Amino acid sequence: MPDYLLLPAKDEAENLPGILERAKAVGLTPVVCDDGSQDQTGEIARQGGAIVLAHRENKGLAEAIRTLLSFALCRGKPGDLFLLMDADGTMDPALFPEMRRVLREEGAEIVIASRYRGKGVKGLSPSRHLLSWAARLYFTLLFPELNVTDWTTGWRLYTYEFLKRYAAAYPFLFRSQGFAAQTEILLRSASLQPRVHVAEIGAEIRYDHKRGRSKLRLFPTIREYVILGLRVRVASLLGRGG
């Protein structure tokens, strides 16, 4: 049963070689969505042995994640695991064996690499720190049943079985257009029956290792998170899809 590393990538040619090398060292098959890059992202990914899913034009992070999850749903089989993380050098696929261990020992369907249970973040701007802390408080108040500390990280391990039953309930996967896509999956999963088991493991996110500028737009992302939380919570109370 193969395990996969899913990487949404826009102009990440500098960061990919090290990530792909570490991924293969822990038994992961890398899959890169080249989201309309202007550099050699796709070529570097292929040279590094990755499966490359290419967008001819830049569609944004949410659509890159949709493409990767669609691949997982089409290619995956029972027992397969899918580690989704950023391709900017801030997250290390070498944490995968520990995430897999926690998933199996706890019978979890999702494992989140949480900065709030580990060493936190290095190199993050004060405004981004504030966004993460505010989002943590906001989503925890709205969705306490999930017992999650890190709602906005893109560093998550999913089982194939979870993705299948989630997609059966929400075939559109998510409606978010930006960085909130994975957060939306987590929020909507709270309505699944039987209840989804989410586990967390401590991690350190190294923004000081990041090359290139951040693609996150702060105020539009804040607005998206606020609207997302209210929309999904109200929809769940009314028994609707949202």
Side-chain angles (χ1 to χ4, degrees):
M1 294 179 291
D3 297 318
Y4 297 89
L5 174 64
L6 306 180
L7 294 169
K10 169 68 166 66
D11 296 332
E12 300 290 2
E14 286 187 276
N15 295 309
L16 279 175
I19 294 173
L20 298 179
E21 182 177 343
R22 291 193 297 276
K24 289 185 288 185
V26 293
L28 288 164
T29 299
V31 183
V32 174
C33 180
D34 178 10
D35 187 31
S37 297
Q38 299 300 307
D39 64 3
Q40 300 301 307
T41 290
E43 181 179 342
I44 294 296
R46 291 186 185 91
Q47 290 175 359
I51 299 168
V52 178
L53 312 172
H55 292 169
R56 291 189 176 184
E57 298 179 353
N58 177 237
K59 296 183 178 182
L61 177 61
E63 290 308 308
I65 291 174
R66 189 186 306 278
T67 294
L68 289 165
L69 293 181
S70 296
F71 168 91
L73 289 163
C74 291
R75 181 72 68 90
K77 296 180 177 61
D80 291 351
L81 301 178
F82 296 89
L83 177 62
L84 182 55
M85 54 175 259
D86 296 347
D88 59 5
T90 61
M91 303 171 183
D92 191 347
L95 193 62
F96 168 68
E98 182 68 8
M99 297 177 77
R100 178 179 57 193
R101 181 190 66 78
V102 170
L103 182 142
R104 289 174 175 171
E105 288 183 357
E106 297 194 15
E109 295 174 271
I110 304 172
V111 177
I112 298 171
S114 171
R115 73 198 89 178
Y116 299 113
R117 296 187 186 274
K119 296 180 181 179
V121 180
K122 288 187 178 179
L124 190 63
S125 68
S127 60
R128 292 284 299 276
H129 268 300
L130 180 60
L131 171 62
S132 297
W133 274 102
R136 180 186 181 188
L137 175 62
Y138 176 65
F139 289 123
T140 299
L141 287 172
L142 286 177
F143 295 86
E145 65 269 31
L146 288 175
N147 194 31
V148 168
T149 66
D150 201 334
W151 298 86
T152 58
T153 182
W155 199 352
R156 298 181 187 168
L157 180 65
Y158 297 103
T159 66
Y160 171 76
E161 289 80 359
F162 166 76
L163 292 176
K164 286 292 287 185
R165 76 184 187 105
Y166 177 87
Y170 301 104
F172 56 85
L173 299 182
F174 47 80
R175 303 196 191 282
S176 298
Q177 298 299 310
F179 279 74
Q182 280 207 82
T183 303
E184 182 175 343
I185 292 173
L186 192 58
L187 300 185
R188 291 189 184 280
S189 72
S191 68
L192 296 179
Q193 295 297 328
R195 177 170 291 183
V196 64
H197 182 181
V198 182
E200 289 188 320
I201 185 173
E204 183 178 45
I205 301 178
R206 298 297 302 268
Y207 282 93
D208 56 335
H209 289 176
K210 182 181 177 67
R211 299 175 183 175
R213 297 177 60 186
S214 173
K215 301 173 182 68
L216 183 143
R217 298 168 60 202
L218 184 62
F219 292 107
T221 300
I222 291 172
R223 179 177 180 273
E224 185 175 27
Y225 281 145
V226 171
I227 293 173
L228 170 65
L230 292 174
R231 187 178 73 234
V232 176
R233 182 78 280 179
V234 170
S236 66
L237 292 173
L238 296 177
R240 299 174 182 174

